[in-house]
Amino acid sequence: MSIRGIGVSPGSVYGPAVVVTTALITPPGERSDDPAAVESAVAEALESVAADMEARAARAEEHAKPVLEATAMMARDPGLVFAVGSFAADGHGPVDALYLAVEQYCALLAGLDAYMAERQTDLRDVFQRAAARLLGRPAPGVPEFDEPSIIVALDLAPADTATLNPERVLGIVTEAGGVTSHTAILAAQLGIPAVVRATGVLSASPETLGLDGATGEVVVNPDAGVAAVLGARNEHRLALQAVAQGPGATRDGHRVQILANIGTVDDAQRAAKADVEGSGLFRTEFLFLERTSAPTVEEQTATYTAVFEAFAGRKVVVRTLDAGADKPLAFADLGAEDNPALGVRGLRLQRERDDLLTDQLTALARAREATGAEVWVMAPMVATAEEAAWFAARCRDAGLPTAGTMVEVPAAAIRSGHLLAACDFASIGTNDLSQYLFAADRMNGALAHLLSGWQPALWELIVATVRGAEGKPVGICGEVGGDPLLALVAAGAGVSSLSMAVGKVGSVKVSLARHDLDTCRAMLDAVLASTGPEQARAAVVDLLDAEVAELLA
């Protein structure tokens, strides 16, 4: 039996399956007439979860610490306990009050960019762990196993994914999750082959599994022949990746910079060890989230300095604070909005709270001066030429000479020439650009087909952005950047850099190195001539080098 999911971390493996069968706790519907006791019980359970996460972090490998510490921070969020108190005052029991508070937070997260929206999984894991304590049940988690195996689950909590041992875990298959889930991100960082959205794998009751984390193929109970093919495919892929070292380029030498997406100092230190040319997206909002006050200039300077030092002379593209109504900050709350995804977020918030931007640019300039780093700074959610010019002027006044703009809304793509008149570069955030182009919520699974990176209309806007730039660098830092086939289409469109999770670097470099620029341009033409994403992908596959088609398509 073969199942097609979404490959999120490349590699082909075969092995025994370990199925995670944790039963989810649901609200029991209990009532209470003692709100203070309810709030106290929940606060104690949440503190216990936080302490457990911190203890795990103390024992964990460096890559796992940030995830575990972030889970602890969620459990200790005073706003969560405050929300529990309001539901307790309405007569709900401990588990019900906590559930309602968590779901209230999740509703806020659902409107964020893809990365932050996936944090709903983290928060619901906090609920499951705290609810288990309140009910006296065992905590959820991955069962113990003795031999190297493939983990199969509906989804994996970040606390479980972060502590996986890559020497014991051959691969990961989940029915839920997405390309920006913790499962996907950490699997790519650890080099564990992984497939998400493999619908039906649990009901198939697998004893063994084969999977290809590049193509998304999952084979339930494969025979020896299939297992051998998967092993040979993986060896072949690794051999090709070993050849495709150094700067990213097509077969005929057309350069496409290969960069890494990062969000923390730990991310930077891991990514800097990989064969990348720098970072194409440093998400700085992680410094600001889950805080009651903004980080000081000194705190920010220390963090930015550590990131720039990790890349030691390589380019780092910094995205300034991407927050606002759909990414609420306790210290920058401008009030509720009817449609926060279309509200005061990104650069719009920065203009309302000029002090936040001033401090951030000051800290970035100090870190740049201290390290001599090549720092490019860009603003999120730019829609007009006036906004782009305002931001670029602010950067240069602060001592940051290379200023750019994100292209995340169709207006920015269509008028890129005007936006870039005052800017030095642009970076296309394909996740948001797709959402706004198709009026489709990224978290609505029923609309996922509209958000495919293979949509021809998306590529119309990418082409428009590059043409309008008139030779100024235009990169991609959305999920499209890490797809080895779409990387070819991007090269054909004239995109100058691609930024991705480090685990995808090898496959993208191989794909580029096996095709010349004329073929990439033919692939772009084929996509633009297509009527939908399936036809577009099929047209590109028809033009692929045979080896790449076998390994990556």
Side-chain angles (χ1 to χ4, degrees):
M1 175 182 178
S2 182
I3 297 171
R4 177 71 68 165
I6 301 173
V8 293
S9 182
S12 305
V13 293
Y14 161 82
V18 172
V19 179
V20 179
T21 57
T22 304
L24 297 180
I25 295 172
T26 56
E30 293 179 344
R31 306 291 293 177
S32 172
D33 58 3
D34 190 346
V38 169
E39 185 172 344
S40 176
V42 173
E44 183 178 341
L46 288 171
E47 176 56 33
S48 179
V49 171
D52 178 48
M53 293 298 105
E54 288 181 334
R56 291 188 185 207
R59 301 189 301 268
E61 299 290 333
E62 285 303 311
H63 72 266
K65 290 183 187 295
V67 175
L68 296 166
E69 290 166 351
T71 303
M73 288 176 65
M74 281 188 168
R76 285 206 177 101
D77 186 345
L80 186 58
V81 176
F82 179 81
V84 167
S86 67
F87 288 113
D90 291 336
H92 293 285
V95 175
D96 292 73
L98 177 58
Y99 174 82
L100 292 168
V102 164
E103 289 305 308
Q104 186 179 69
Y105 265 54
C106 286
L108 293 173
L109 289 171
L112 309 188
D113 67 28
Y115 184 92
M116 292 306 301
E118 289 282 1
R119 304 292 74 77
Q120 294 174 83
T121 301
D122 310 33
L123 195 52
R124 290 189 173 113
D125 178 51
V126 169
F127 165 74
Q128 291 294 324
R129 294 175 186 276
R133 284 167 167 78
L134 289 167
L135 297 173
R137 298 184 188 177
V142 178
E144 294 290 332
F145 52 95
D146 297 325
E147 60 180 326
S149 303
I150 296 172
I151 294 177
V152 188
L154 175 63
D155 203 357
L156 285 177
D160 293 325
T161 311
T163 53
L164 296 178
N165 182 348
E167 295 181 1
R168 300 284 297 280
V169 180
L170 297 174
I172 300 171
V173 180
T174 66
E175 290 204 357
V179 293
T180 55
S181 65
H182 265 312
T183 297
I185 292 169
L186 283 172
Q189 289 174 344
L190 294 171
I192 299 174
V195 176
V196 300
R197 299 283 182 185
T199 305
V201 67
L202 287 172
S203 61
S205 302
E207 295 182 0
T208 60
L209 279 177
L211 72 92
D212 190 316
T215 65
E217 180 185 12
V218 177
V219 184
V220 179
N221 300 326
D223 59 28
V226 171
V229 167
L230 288 170
R233 184 186 299 174
N234 200 52
E235 289 181 8
H236 192 187
R237 182 183 290 120
L238 291 173
L240 285 177
Q241 290 180 7
V243 174
Q245 296 291 314
T250 59
R251 187 173 63 200
D252 52 344
H254 176 74
R255 288 277 288 111
V256 181
Q257 275 195 324
I258 303 301
L259 308 165
N261 291 341
I262 62 172
T264 66
V265 173
D266 286 332
D267 286 350
Q269 291 171 343
R270 284 192 301 273
K273 296 175 183 176
D275 188 21
V276 296
E277 298 168 69
S279 172
L281 175 61
F282 174 21
R283 302 181 181 96
T284 59
E285 56 267 24
F286 294 106
L287 270 168
F288 296 80
L289 298 175
E290 304 297 332
R291 295 178 62 116
T292 57
S293 61
T296 65
V297 171
E298 290 71 26
E299 287 179 276
Q300 293 187 61
T301 302
T303 295
Y304 304 148
T305 298
V307 169
F308 298 161
E309 287 177 340
F311 282 100
R314 287 173 282 177
K315 178 173 77 174
V316 178
V317 181
V318 181
R319 183 177 72 188
T320 54
L321 177 62
D322 190 9
D326 64 339
K327 301 179 186 179
L329 298 173
F331 51 87
D333 184 1
L334 301 181
E337 297 187 52
D338 291 335
N339 195 340
L342 301 179
V344 183
R345 57 170 291 198
L347 183 65
R348 299 167 188 175
L349 174 66
Q350 293 173 14
R351 298 188 79 168
E352 291 286 336
R353 287 292 307 273
D354 186 73
D355 58 311
L356 295 177
L357 180 62
T358 297
D359 284 355
Q360 185 166 31
L361 295 180
T362 298
L364 287 166
R366 289 180 182 177
R368 173 180 175 271
E369 183 178 1
T371 61
E374 181 183 355
V375 180
W376 295 22
V377 185
M378 61 185 181
M381 289 301 293
V382 175
T384 69
E386 184 276 330
E387 290 175 342
W390 179 86
F391 177 78
R394 291 299 307 276
C395 288
R396 289 168 185 139
D397 287 345
L400 296 162
T402 308
T405 176
M406 293 286 292
V407 174
E408 299 168 286
V409 296
I414 294 168
R415 303 280 288 179
S416 65
H418 296 271
L419 265 70
L420 281 165
C423 293
D424 302 299
F425 72 97
S427 183
I428 302 172
T430 52
N431 302 341
D432 264 329
L433 185 58
S434 294
Q435 173 176 242
Y436 294 129
L437 173 62
F438 291 99
D441 185 345
R442 288 169 312 217
M443 300 309 295
N444 187 335
L447 302 178
H449 63 289
L450 293 173
L451 302 176
S452 167
W454 290 97
Q455 284 284 4
L458 173 64
W459 286 95
E460 295 277 4
L461 289 187
I462 292 173
V463 169
T465 302
V466 174
R467 286 177 178 168
E470 296 184 339
K472 290 184 178 180
V474 176
I476 288 178
C477 60
E479 292 307 317
V480 164
D483 185 304
L485 306 191
L486 288 173
L488 300 172
V489 183
V495 170
S496 59
S497 64
L498 300 168
S499 195
M500 65 203 73
V502 291
K504 300 180 180 181
V505 167
S507 295
V508 170
K509 284 191 174 185
V510 166
S511 188
L512 287 170
R514 301 287 294 193
H515 299 86
D516 59 31
L517 184 57
D518 284 343
T519 301
C520 293
R521 288 171 173 161
M523 290 174 172
L524 172 67
D525 290 341
V527 170
L528 295 176
S530 298
T531 58
E534 294 82 8
Q535 182 185 8
R537 190 180 192 281
V540 168
V541 169
D542 285 343
L543 295 171
L544 283 176
D545 169 87
E547 281 190 302
V548 172
E550 178 186 355
L551 295 175
L552 301 176

